[in-house]
Amino acid sequence: MNKKWEELNVLLHEDVKRAIKSFQFPTMTPVQAATIPLLLGKKDVAAQAVTGSGKTLAFLIPLLELLKRHDDEDKLKPHQVGAIVISPTRELALQTYSVLKQFLKHIKGIRDVLLVGGNNVDEDIQNIEKNGCNVLICTPGRLEDLLTNQQHKLNLAQAVKSVELLILDEADRLLDLGFKSTIDNILNYLPKQRRTGLFSATQTKELDVLIRAGLRNPVSITVTEKASQSTPVSLKNFYVTTKNNGKLATLLSFLEADNVQKGLLFVPTCACVDYWSHVLPDLHASLPVFAIHGKMKEKRKKVLGDFSQAERGLLICTDVLARGIDIPQVDWVVQWDPPASAAAFVHRIGRTARQGNEGSALIMLYESEEAYVDFIRRNQKVEVNAIADSATDELVSELLTKLRKLQMADRDLFDKGTRAFVSHIRSYSKHECSLLLRVNELPLAGMAASYGLLQLPKMPELKNRDLSEFPAMPDFDINKLAYRNKTREEQRKLKLDIYKETGKWPGKRKPIRAKQSEAWSKAKEQKELKRLKRMKRKQAKVERKGEVSDRKRKSALSEEDMAELAKDIALIKKLKKKKISNEEFDKEMGIE
């Protein structure tokens, strides 16, 4: 144990000292040295540090110390929650929980509970009721559910009133719009006089976000191994420019040439994971293939465990594994294409080169995407170096033939490939940096060929595009393509017979007829007329009922009230569009 750990030991409870000593940590990382004393001193902390820098221990050690101090003062009761750690995904929550369990082997008297989606809610409730809970490791959705849903008959809202420390792991993800309302609901149940810690590799710095998380005058900590970069110095980053129809060939030739032992392959969507995990074992049999995506629920835990224990393998995944997950011996992280956000790029490549180990990352780009390299260098301070594409035209052609044979043998693979391609294109249009990464600049025909599609799907993105790079199959009849599964094939044939007789595919929704266009002014007039009729009906209903409650009386607005409300809304719109100044707005609204 190095000098910094020895200095910290002076401040710690004997049980916590014993637990730390059993781990035999070689060195204290910078984020641990900066954060632990602050949290022990009951300060709010917003910590940003590169991936794999030991952030989990940076909050677990002070968390355990604060709880053990209660033994000497006012010991927590079995059903009093003293600390909560919230993680954005169940995998990250499970990983944190497993580290906590290692500590609790040497620390007695602290009761811990894991609350994540996918587990049985009734079992979680019974576990808390039977064993108690002092530390909660959870995902936001499950915690909110148990706090707000009264049907569970568990008074967790009362139990969390004793929370002394709240940790938001991967805080930038938890505080974004996806979890905003959930986190807000949770914070409403927690005591104001608590300590809060935000931890992430790409920490948000907006003051209003920090205040919303409940921090008062937070100490901001930024730890990077080099001032000029935001990733570990032991991580080597590369990019390769692929042929329009050769991304799969580039991937397979790279896996072979660089002798990848244990790698992560990030793809854009769940459908892409599903497709590539089915076909890659037939194309690259030397490397075991695993698959994880967000729709897999209970199966994810087992797959992650199997991959972690495997000596070799390729795990195909979505961004559900992009944050915080620590998998042993991952030597390469490969990205099929640029992620939806620049921050996700840093989190993805952070799955390797952790805790001082060496690792490498590769992103595959088309020619139209090469500007992304400079963007990521400027935006995320990540240096990415070019490597040559070793894929040959012969390999590209060979893979297309193999993929088409696989799809011809089972219509299910053709369906999976088509869904994967369509979902890939649709997800690409949602990039944060859409000005740089544009769908209309993608080589869509070549991409469809790299998926091995038998025919191009009907989608608006393909209209008026050059499709010459897609090798058409003029004699191919989609109606003759059969499912390997006999039950599904019988159902398909039955539907096909109905289609031949009626000209309509059974079960298909009726097309929505487009409304006849009309002048905007006329449509507005009709809309206003309908609104007034609704108001009159509502008023008449209230009058018929006679005596109404205060709540209903408030909802029965007069025409003057409605006119005043419409005027206020119009003013707000003008202010948003900067047609009026703040002073003019205040004057019109009667605000002094």
Side-chain angles (χ1 to χ4, degrees), residues 463-527:
K463 289 183 179 179
N464 303 319
R465 298 293 295 271
D466 178 11
L467 304 178
S468 59
E469 285 188 304
F470 182 78
M473 301 176 66
D475 299 328
F476 173 68
D477 185 357
I478 186 65
N479 291 325
K480 294 180 180 179
L481 187 61
Y483 288 107
R484 184 175 291 172
N485 182 287
K486 292 181 180 180
T487 303
R488 292 190 68 184
E489 179 57 18
E490 288 177 2
Q491 293 174 349
R492 186 191 72 85
K493 285 183 176 179
L494 181 62
K495 290 181 178 181
L496 184 61
D497 291 339
I498 296 173
Y499 173 74
K500 288 178 179 178
E501 290 180 9
T502 64
K504 295 180 180 179
W505 193 264
K508 199 171 184 179
R509 293 178 181 177
K510 294 181 180 180
I512 300 173
R513 293 182 179 179
K515 292 183 179 179
Q516 192 173 4
S517 60
E518 57 183 346
W520 177 81
S521 58
K522 184 71 174 177
K524 185 179 179 182
E525 183 182 330
Q526 291 293 330
K527 188 176 180 180

Side-chain angles (χ1 to χ4, degrees), residues 3 74 124 247 278 314 369 393 445 451 485 551 563 565:
K3 187 177 179 180
D74 52 335
D124 286 341
K247 190 166 278 194
H278 276 82
L314 180 69
E369 298 172 325
D393 291 334
Y451 274 80
N485 182 287
R551 182 177 60 81
L565 180 60

Side-chain angles (χ1 to χ4, degrees), residues 205-221:
K205 294 181 181 179
E206 289 84 351
L207 182 61
D208 58 335
V209 176
L210 298 181
I211 292 172
R212 185 164 61 80
L215 278 72
R216 298 182 182 86
N217 300 317
V219 178
S220 182
I221 298 172

Side-chain angles (χ1 to χ4, degrees), residues 178-249:
F179 288 105
K180 180 182 182 300
S181 61
T182 300
I183 295 296
D184 283 344
N185 285 341
I186 293 171
L187 293 177
N188 288 334
Y189 285 89
L190 303 184
K192 304 299 181 184
Q193 299 300 320
R194 67 170 191 276
R195 299 282 61 82
T196 305
L198 310 183
F199 289 80
S200 182
T202 52
Q203 182 67 58
T204 181
K205 294 181 181 179
E206 289 84 351
L207 182 61
D208 58 335
V209 176
L210 298 181
I211 292 172
R212 185 164 61 80
L215 278 72
R216 298 182 182 86
N217 300 317
V219 178
S220 182
I221 298 172
T222 301
V223 179
T224 55
E225 296 190 16
K226 257 186 177 182
S228 60
Q229 67 180 64
S230 60
T231 55
V233 293
S234 58
L235 174 60
K236 299 175 183 177
N237 285 289
F238 304 98
Y239 77 93
V240 59
T241 305
T242 72
K243 300 177 178 65
N244 290 347
N245 60 352
K247 190 166 278 194
L248 177 62

Side-chain angles (χ1 to χ4, degrees), residues 150-298:
Q150 300 301 319
Q151 295 178 351
H152 295 321
K153 297 180 181 179
L154 175 69
N155 195 3
L156 190 61
Q158 178 65 33
V160 299
K161 288 184 178 180
S162 55
V163 167
E164 186 173 349
L165 178 63
L166 169 68
I167 299 295
L168 300 185
D169 197 9
E170 299 299 338
D172 58 332
R173 179 73 182 92
L174 287 170
L175 292 173
D176 72 10
L177 293 177
F179 288 105
K180 180 182 182 300
S181 61
T182 300
I183 295 296
D184 283 344
N185 285 341
I186 293 171
L187 293 177
N188 288 334
Y189 285 89
L190 303 184
K192 304 299 181 184
Q193 299 300 320
R194 67 170 191 276
R195 299 282 61 82
T196 305
L198 310 183
F199 289 80
S200 182
T202 52
Q203 182 67 58
T204 181
K205 294 181 181 179
E206 289 84 351
L207 182 61
D208 58 335
V209 176
L210 298 181
I211 292 172
R212 185 164 61 80
L215 278 72
R216 298 182 182 86
N217 300 317
V219 178
S220 182
I221 298 172
T222 301
V223 179
T224 55
E225 296 190 16
K226 257 186 177 182
S228 60
Q229 67 180 64
S230 60
T231 55
V233 293
S234 58
L235 174 60
K236 299 175 183 177
N237 285 289
F238 304 98
Y239 77 93
V240 59
T241 305
T242 72
K243 300 177 178 65
N244 290 347
N245 60 352
K247 190 166 278 194
L248 177 62
T250 300
L251 172 67
L252 295 184
S253 59
F254 164 76
L255 293 175
E256 195 68 40
D258 286 79
N259 193 27
V260 175
Q261 295 299 303
K262 203 165 185 180
L264 297 183
L265 172 62
F266 283 96
V267 294
T269 68
C270 299
C272 292
V273 172
D274 196 25
Y275 176 61
W276 291 120
S277 63
H278 276 82
V279 299
L280 276 183
D282 292 301
L283 306 175
H284 191 74
S286 62
L287 201 62
V289 174
F290 302 81
I292 280 184
H293 58 68
K295 294 180 181 178
M296 287 173 72
K297 306 305 177 189
E298 295 86 0

